[in-house]
Amino acid sequence: MTTRVTLQDVADAAHVSLASASKALNGTGHISAHTRRLVQTTAQELGYKQRTAAEKRTAHQQSGLIGLVSADLEGRFSMPALAGAEDTLGVANHAVLLTNSRGDPQIERDHIDQMAARGVDGLLILGGETDARPPIKPNTALGIPIVYVYAPSTNPNDSSITVDNVQAGQAAINHLLGQGRTHIAILAGPEYYAATKDRVNGAEQAMAAAGLRFSAPTRYGNWHESWGRVATNLLIESGEQVDGLYCLNDMLARGAIESFLEHGIRVPEDVAVIGHDNWSVTATECRIPITTFDNNMREMGRKAARMLLSAIKGHPQRGMTLMDCSLIIRESSVSKR
């Protein structure tokens, strides 16, 4: 004989009071969105039979809504990714709800709770850097399909998609070598960033494959144009012979170019310069347009949305998906013929 699941059973399993369980399942009272979701999901898992509007929200009925939680404060990555996701989701009759967590785990959790209360079918979690991040806790996700975008999850069983910065580092050096540059140096941001480590790693691999060594030690600092100027001045003062400079973002590249020009060093005739990120204002609105790498965030948004739709249908793609960066060639690295 099967014992009927009671409201008290639900409350006990969810570790909440009987009153909170009742409010959650009846849609009444003032309780957090997280507690409401937890009780609703627990009730469904236990087979609690009360058929209320709140319980129906826990059933696997698609709402046509996808949540995108971004930690990218400036929108440089999130807006192209959002556009790409909408390209895919619009065709599948889904709409995207965009929120910004500002990189705060508590705000992120609150946003997820609120989106879940609105019945989103899945979540795209977008980071502001490529550093791996902790996964969303199970008691926050509560079974909602998730794809991590740009900042991958540290859990290899999660679905993540990000850029292949090692490939970008290799391609940067190979481009400089293709321009006949053999005395190459690197100008980097903070050493602890995953993007820094991966791009330097790729550059080192390409130099080793060519049987070459860097002409100067890699200089680490920050991502600002001012550091690009300072580091380039130090490079010039060192007397090291350099005919190619790989800068790990466009701001550094612009600062480097300005410093070279102030010292009468021609770009690209004397030194070819490469950046990364393809931020249009930085890479094109300068005295010498910068050869750079595009992270293809719009295409990443499209692919992430396809991965999420597949997960919603019960076919999640586990593990890490890497996307190549595209080299955008401009005047800073190619000598005029």
Side-chain angles (χ1 to χ4, degrees):
M1 178 177 177
T2 303
T3 303
R4 182 176 181 273
V5 178
T6 68
L7 182 60
Q8 186 64 61
D9 294 330
V10 175
D12 292 342
H15 303 290
V16 300
S17 68
L18 185 63
S20 293
S22 176
K23 292 176 183 178
L25 293 178
N26 290 291
T28 61
H30 297 287
I31 60 174
S32 72
H34 176 72
T35 299
R36 193 180 302 277
R37 288 178 58 212
L38 178 61
V39 172
Q40 290 171 351
T41 303
T42 302
Q44 183 184 3
E45 291 174 347
L46 294 178
Y48 185 63
K49 297 301 182 182
Q50 180 182 6
R51 298 299 296 171
T52 65
E55 185 185 10
K56 289 178 183 179
R57 284 198 295 272
T58 68
H60 296 296
Q61 300 171 350
Q62 291 192 14
S63 66
L65 296 175
I66 298 295
L68 192 156
V69 183
S70 172
D72 175 25
L73 290 172
E74 298 179 350
R76 286 172 172 162
F77 303 118
S78 61
M79 297 316 294
L82 171 63
E86 288 180 327
D87 290 342
T88 296
L89 295 170
V91 175
N93 296 317
H94 280 75
V96 181
L97 303 177
L98 174 64
T99 62
N100 197 310
S101 68
R102 303 196 293 273
D104 186 312
Q106 183 58 53
I107 295 176
E108 179 181 78
R109 171 177 163 166
D110 291 343
H111 284 325
I112 292 173
D113 286 336
Q114 293 296 333
M115 286 182 167
R118 298 183 67 172
V120 294
D121 300 325
L123 292 168
L124 297 171
I125 306 297
L126 175 65
E129 303 289 348
T130 58
D131 296 72
R133 52 151 296 155
I136 303 298
K137 294 181 179 179
N139 65 350
T140 298
L142 291 178
I144 296 177
I146 295 175
V147 173
Y148 296 86
V149 188
Y150 201 59
S153 169
T154 54
N155 186 340
N157 292 320
D158 287 335
S159 299
S160 299
I161 183 168
T162 189
V163 296
D164 191 343
N165 278 311
V166 174
Q167 169 267 333
Q170 293 170 337
I173 299 303
N174 288 331
H175 175 69
L176 291 173
L177 293 174
Q179 297 300 310
R181 313 306 171 117
T182 56
H183 301 283
I184 300 171
I186 295 179
L187 179 53
E191 189 170 5
Y192 55 84
Y193 275 96
T196 302
K197 296 175 182 177
D198 289 343
R199 291 169 194 169
V200 170
N201 182 22
E204 290 173 342
Q205 291 179 23
M207 289 291 283
L212 297 173
R213 301 179 64 181
F214 290 109
S215 296
T218 298
R219 285 180 165 81
Y220 297 96
N222 55 49
W223 296 116
H224 303 153
E225 181 177 342
S226 58
W227 169 238
R229 289 174 176 269
V230 170
T232 303
N233 286 338
L234 293 172
L235 180 62
I236 294 169
E237 292 168 3
S238 73
E240 300 284 354
Q241 183 181 359
V242 174
D243 60 12
L245 184 64
Y246 175 32
C247 301
L248 300 196
N249 83 346
D250 294 337
M251 296 295 289
L252 297 175
R254 188 165 73 176
I257 290 171
E258 290 298 323
S259 182
F260 281 135
L261 296 179
E262 288 169 3
H263 285 81
I265 298 172
R266 300 171 302 168
V267 176
E269 292 83 358
D270 299 325
V271 182
V273 177
I274 295 182
H276 194 112
D277 288 324
N278 196 31
W279 294 335
S280 58
V281 173
T282 304
T284 63
E285 300 300 319
C286 49
R287 285 199 276 175
I288 299 178
I290 300 170
T291 292
T292 184
F293 286 89
D294 194 303
N295 288 325
N296 295 322
M297 293 303 297
R298 185 159 187 158
E299 180 58 27
M300 187 180 298
R302 294 189 186 104
K303 288 189 176 183
R306 289 196 291 270
M307 291 167 62
L308 186 60
L309 290 174
S310 179
I312 291 170
K313 293 176 183 178
H315 306 289
Q317 181 177 328
R318 305 293 185 188
M320 179 87 74
T321 298
L322 293 175
M323 283 186 54
D324 285 353
C325 302
S326 298
L327 179 63
I328 310 299
I329 300 176
R330 298 192 180 98
E331 295 175 25
S332 70
S333 69
V334 180
S335 299
K336 297 179 181 178
R337 303 298 183 187

